[in-house]
Amino acid sequence: MSLTKEADNTQELTHLNAKGEANMVDVTEKAVTSRTARAEGFISMSDKTFSMIASGEHAKGDVFAVARIAGIQAAKKCSDLIPLCHPLMLSKVQVDFELIHETKQVRVISLCKLTGQTGVEMEALTAVSVATLTLFDMCKAVDPLMVISNIRVLEKQGGKSGDWVA
């Protein structure tokens, strides 16, 4: 993965205090700025499962609608799931799906936005993770061998560390 802005490997871990104990980062003095993050993940499945969800013929109904709502809810609950994440007032959460016919995969893409003092990368990753897990849950009776993979942040904008794209 190449980044348009190289990561600074000299920074210390911010979620540990001087004693090495878990610590929620103090963002009190950070500037309030517009922040955006996009993430993606993939779920691979059998031809039968892919065909079933692509055509909307799954017995459980529109699996994409359910997975989209699950992803949006997950982003909103990120601080409840990840212990040291700040609770954020998200202004936008979007979850989209791309069918990749050649490989029988669904690509899940999330977008999270806010105006605040900390980034939204974890929220974007959580949205993708829960959306792919929901697709798995809704299709596991038909295809228990599905594989979720390659969940990552695609880009982030705003904040002290600047913008970057994977």
Side-chain angles (χ1 to χ4, degrees):
M1 167 171 66
S2 65
L3 303 176
T4 56
K5 177 177 177 163
E6 211 170 300
D8 179 3
N9 293 329
T10 61
Q11 287 187 336
E12 295 181 24
L13 296 175
T14 57
H15 287 82
L16 300 175
N17 66 16
K19 297 178 186 176
E21 300 165 335
N23 177 51
M24 187 172 183
V25 175
D26 184 358
V27 297
T28 306
E29 302 303 320
K30 290 178 82 175
V32 174
T33 61
S34 177
R35 296 158 186 266
T36 302
R38 287 188 333 114
E40 73 176 354
F42 296 83
I43 183 165
S44 304
M45 58 196 65
S46 69
D47 290 343
K48 177 183 176 182
T49 306
F50 187 86
S51 177
M52 189 181 296
I53 66 171
S55 66
E57 296 175 4
H58 194 290
K60 291 187 177 182
D62 186 349
V63 298
F64 295 121
V66 176
R68 177 175 287 114
I69 291 168
I72 292 168
Q73 286 180 321
K76 291 165 48 177
K77 292 299 217 172
C78 185
S79 66
D80 292 336
L81 300 169
I82 313 284
L84 300 176
C85 280
H86 293 86
L88 301 179
M89 288 294 290
L90 296 167
S91 57
K92 172 77 173 168
V93 179
Q94 182 176 327
V95 177
D96 293 307
F97 305 94
E98 177 186 335
L99 297 171
I100 306 172
H101 294 272
E102 304 79 34
T103 57
K104 305 302 183 247
Q105 290 182 307
V106 176
R107 178 181 180 221
V108 180
I109 309 106
S110 71
L111 168 70
C112 292
K113 291 182 176 184
L114 62 66
T115 301
Q117 294 170 293
T118 188
V120 290
E121 296 92 334
M122 294 308 300
E123 288 71 15
L125 288 166
T126 300
V128 165
S129 298
V130 171
T132 56
L133 288 169
T134 301
L135 289 175
F136 188 99
D137 181 50
M138 294 191 73
C139 298
K140 68 183 182 282
V142 175
D143 188 359
L145 299 177
M146 290 175 289
V147 175
I148 295 170
S149 63
N150 299 321
I151 295 173
R152 67 181 183 142
V153 176
L154 292 172
E155 68 178 287
K156 72 98 109 183
Q157 296 175 345
K160 182 179 162 185
S161 61
D163 302 348
W164 61 264
V165 177

